[in-house]
Amino acid sequence: MQRSWAVMITAALVLASGVSVMAQPPRGGGRGFGGGGGFGGPVFLVAMEAVQKELAVTDAQKEKLDKLREEARAGFGGGGNPRDLSDEERAKLRTQMEERTKKTEESLKAILDEKQHARLNQLVIQQAGVMALSRPDVAEKLKLTDEQKTKLREVAEAGRGAGGRGGFNPNASQEERQKAMEEARARREKTTADAMAVLNADQKKAFEDMQGKKFEFPAFGGFGGGNRPGGNRPPRDAN
């Protein structure tokens, strides 16, 4: 059963760290299709200065967005580590998060105007890259078949398996870090290519259109995010 992308990513980030949800993610390994899970949902993405500039957010809107973000962060906190919870407790926590996320997204839509909200949705998908293919709304718009959904899940699992569980090693040498980054980049590129290969030509074009005009996310600074090497969007001639 598929769940909201915003729920899964926001919950994972907040419960795992308890700190800034949009912190720059480690470049190695990663989750889902895109590798790296540095996405806290629209309410946190819009906290980035570059995104606010792109949306032409007013000072009045910024105040409301800051308040909404703090409420969202506080609402998702205090759940403990999901790994320490029972299945029943995790199910209850998931339901609570879904309800909170829905309320937060409704509030966000009320703060932004229609044009701003539409562009923000494009940026969310653009930053997520092929990981956005797991979103139910994206899958519906692309008219993904059950066979395609299964293949995409297999691609995601293969990408996770290749990434291993090593994580970030603070004691690694510069050469080791560089090698790890190159290996992670290669995994991301392969996973992206494999995921795009599942789509037909019309679906690739539709997915490209969903992302709107290319936006250059800052590599560092603000609340993080940043483009992956080579960008998040698949080339139009992808096979």
Side-chain angles (χ1 to χ4, degrees), residues 147-177:
E147 181 180 1
Q148 286 178 312
K149 293 176 183 178
T150 297
K151 289 181 178 180
L152 287 170
R153 284 194 292 270
E154 292 173 350
V155 169
E157 289 299 325
R160 281 196 289 269
R165 297 176 60 86
F168 175 70
N169 180 9
N171 299 319
S173 66
Q174 182 61 35
E175 292 76 11
E176 290 173 330
R177 293 181 184 180

Side-chain angles (χ1 to χ4, degrees), residues 29-152:
R31 300 172 179 239
F33 299 111
F39 313 108
V43 71
F44 296 102
L45 181 63
V46 78
M48 296 173 64
E49 183 177 353
V51 172
Q52 292 184 351
K53 183 176 180 180
E54 172 72 8
L55 302 182
V57 172
T58 66
D59 290 340
Q61 286 177 317
K62 288 180 182 179
E63 291 183 6
K64 294 179 180 179
L65 290 171
D66 287 344
K67 181 179 180 181
L68 178 61
R69 185 172 64 257
E70 291 304 317
E71 291 175 348
R73 183 178 290 119
F76 281 116
N81 190 332
R83 295 181 181 179
D84 298 330
L85 303 178
S86 66
D87 290 342
E88 182 178 353
E89 290 172 329
R90 276 195 292 268
K92 181 179 180 180
L93 181 61
R94 183 168 57 246
T95 299
Q96 293 174 342
M97 288 180 173
E98 289 174 348
E99 294 174 350
R100 291 168 181 168
T101 298
K102 181 178 179 180
K103 182 178 180 180
T104 299
E105 292 177 345
E106 290 175 350
S107 298
L108 177 61
K109 190 173 183 180
I111 294 173
L112 302 177
D113 62 35
E114 184 175 349
K115 182 178 179 180
Q116 290 171 321
H117 191 261
R119 179 55 174 159
L120 178 59
N121 283 337
Q122 291 179 341
L123 297 184
V124 169
I125 295 176
Q126 191 175 139
Q127 190 189 48
V130 292
M131 189 170 67
L133 294 172
S134 64
R135 286 177 45 168
D137 60 326
V138 172
E140 182 178 358
K141 290 178 181 178
L142 295 181
K143 298 180 180 179
L144 296 181
T145 65
D146 289 340
E147 181 180 1
Q148 286 178 312
K149 293 176 183 178
T150 297
K151 289 181 178 180
L152 287 170

